[in-house]
Amino acid sequence: MKVSQRTVRLQLTEPLRISRSTMAARDAVWLLIEYEGRLGRGEAVTSVYYGLDADTLGRLLHAESQWLARFAEPESALEALRTGGRESTPPAVTAAVESALLDLLGKRAGIPVHELLGTSAQPSAPTARTIGITSPRQAEAQAARLVRDGFSVLKIKAGSPDAADDLERVRAVRAAAPHAQLLLDPNGAWTVATTERLLPRLAELGIEAVEQPIAPGDPEALAKLAERSPLPVIADEDAVGYEDARRLAGRVQGINVKLAKCGGVSAALRIAELIADTGTELMLGCLTASTLGIAPAVHLADRARWIDLDGHLLLAHDPWTGIGGADGTVRASRHPGLGVRPRTEAESERA
């Protein structure tokens, strides 16, 4: 197998502000695995929160390239990745490697990735669309535009210095989108006391669920909060991998599984199996990334209650196409592998 990589810059259409930071762009590293004339691709994106910059990702993916070179064919590499694990490798890197291998194997078999994973029907689902921390007026305008575009699920970022600002933003979005499903995400910005004070008011405003309201690091406190909450509480930053999910299964109403956080498709499926029938439901989330980075999770979209796979929709220019989403619904491709193609290639075919 021949392995290569490329680093690119992904610019957002507009800066996205959350409680702990504001982001205008991020770097992505694409991993390419070539075997017998077919090419599998995966993507890892930089993250300040997870301590991954472009140089670090490049170095780690180069090390994975050397590991992949040990295998005669991609099937044995994927099996080793799934069974032996890469414990010293950050989950985002493992996820990118697995993505490229699944893309390659799907193309070799002539079937899409969701069929490799045992789902014959093409997964599709309404995705949440994120509204960052902004003024109520701007949030209202964004919500109105998104509803016109077809979005039925909106996720509102929270965690302003004054919690009253968060409530005003929610009221503005609700006024503009009276029939939309609303999720709220403070990214761990609130105290337990603030959360308990706000949750009943958020319930009155029609918020369906709240992600990680309190700072990560105390999953016991999060579980106790979920026990007495009038709204479903979804663990995110406190639910990184399998062991975190095991501790919280049945104790929170949801777990946000991001492939870059847990280690890829196989790890996500293990978590989904773990929490099944515990009363804890699956949310599929993402980092801001291109279609290439989001696509693997879209092939799992039929397995989750909440879908938040809009990272590619935040970009000024997405280099790839293949999963849609601009109309509020993401759809796994019927094409072999991930079904992702360079946008320039797709555009030239339509010309």
Side-chain angles (χ1 to χ4, degrees):
M1 292 186 292
K2 181 181 177 182
V3 185
S4 59
Q5 63 188 62
R6 178 187 173 193
T7 301
V8 298
R9 188 76 164 167
L10 301 176
Q11 197 78 31
L12 275 67
T13 302
E14 59 185 40
L16 176 66
R17 180 187 169 197
I18 66 173
S19 61
R20 60 174 177 254
S21 64
T22 299
M23 180 179 61
R26 77 185 334 153
D27 292 321
V29 182
W30 296 337
L31 180 71
L32 297 85
I33 304 176
E34 186 176 355
Y35 182 74
E36 293 185 345
R38 293 184 174 88
L39 189 64
R41 302 180 177 99
E43 177 180 273
V45 295
T46 55
S47 170
V48 174
Y49 184 77
Y50 293 114
L52 296 171
D53 58 24
D55 290 341
T56 301
L57 282 177
R59 175 175 51 80
L60 290 168
L61 284 167
H62 177 70
E64 294 304 289
S65 300
Q66 295 178 315
W67 177 77
L68 286 166
R70 297 165 40 193
F71 299 95
E73 71 286 316
E75 288 85 356
S76 58
L78 181 61
E79 180 65 19
L81 192 70
R82 287 174 167 173
T83 59
R86 300 285 289 159
E87 294 182 1
S88 62
T89 303
V93 174
T94 302
V97 174
E98 184 187 38
S99 172
L101 288 170
L102 286 171
D103 189 32
L104 180 55
L105 292 181
K107 290 171 180 174
R108 275 167 59 76
I111 59 175
V113 163
H114 60 265
E115 291 189 22
L116 283 179
L117 302 174
T119 300
S120 57
Q122 178 191 19
S124 66
T127 180
R129 181 64 159 79
T130 301
I131 296 175
I133 295 177
T134 186
S135 70
R137 183 176 178 180
Q138 289 175 315
E140 182 176 9
Q142 288 182 40
R145 174 176 54 80
L146 291 169
V147 169
R148 286 196 300 271
D149 289 344
F151 286 87
S152 60
V153 187
L154 302 177
K155 184 164 94 165
I156 308 165
K157 289 293 187 177
S160 299
D162 185 350
D165 293 339
D166 293 331
L167 289 174
E168 286 303 309
R169 190 177 312 107
V170 171
R171 290 190 186 99
V173 171
R174 175 50 81 203
H179 305 297
Q181 176 185 359
L182 301 185
L183 307 173
L184 193 76
D185 185 8
N187 289 108
W190 294 341
T191 64
V192 171
T194 297
T195 304
E196 291 184 324
R197 176 170 56 86
L198 293 178
L199 286 178
R201 301 171 74 178
L202 293 168
E204 291 173 358
L205 291 168
I207 292 293
E208 176 172 322
V210 177
E211 285 184 64
Q212 194 70 41
I214 62 174
D218 191 351
E220 187 67 24
L222 186 68
K224 289 180 178 178
L225 182 67
E227 184 179 354
R228 54 185 183 269
S229 171
L231 292 173
V233 172
I234 302 170
D236 183 357
E237 286 88 345
D238 264 329
V240 175
Y242 185 89
E243 287 304 312
D244 296 327
R246 183 181 59 79
R247 283 189 287 269
L248 288 169
R251 306 188 68 204
V252 294
Q253 288 79 24
I255 288 179
N256 186 343
V257 171
K258 299 172 182 173
L259 303 191
K261 181 177 67 170
C262 72
V265 167
S266 298
L269 291 174
R270 287 194 294 271
I271 292 173
E273 182 179 4
L274 169 72
I275 66 175
D277 302 320
T278 67
T280 297
E281 298 189 84
L282 183 69
M283 179 178 192
L284 280 173
C286 65
L287 302 180
T288 302
S290 77
T291 282
L292 178 59
I294 305 296
V298 176
H299 285 271
L300 304 176
D302 57 323
R303 304 168 192 255
R305 172 178 174 181
W306 299 285
I307 302 294
D308 180 24
L309 299 176
D310 68 336
H312 62 305
L313 302 176
L314 306 180
L315 301 181
H317 173 70
D318 185 353
W320 307 91
T321 186
I323 59 174
D327 61 351
T329 299
V330 288
R331 303 168 182 85
S333 175
R334 294 189 178 92
H335 294 292
L338 292 174
V340 171
R341 292 184 297 165
R343 186 168 295 276
T344 52
E345 177 183 304
E347 290 171 349
S348 66
E349 289 180 0
R350 290 195 297 267

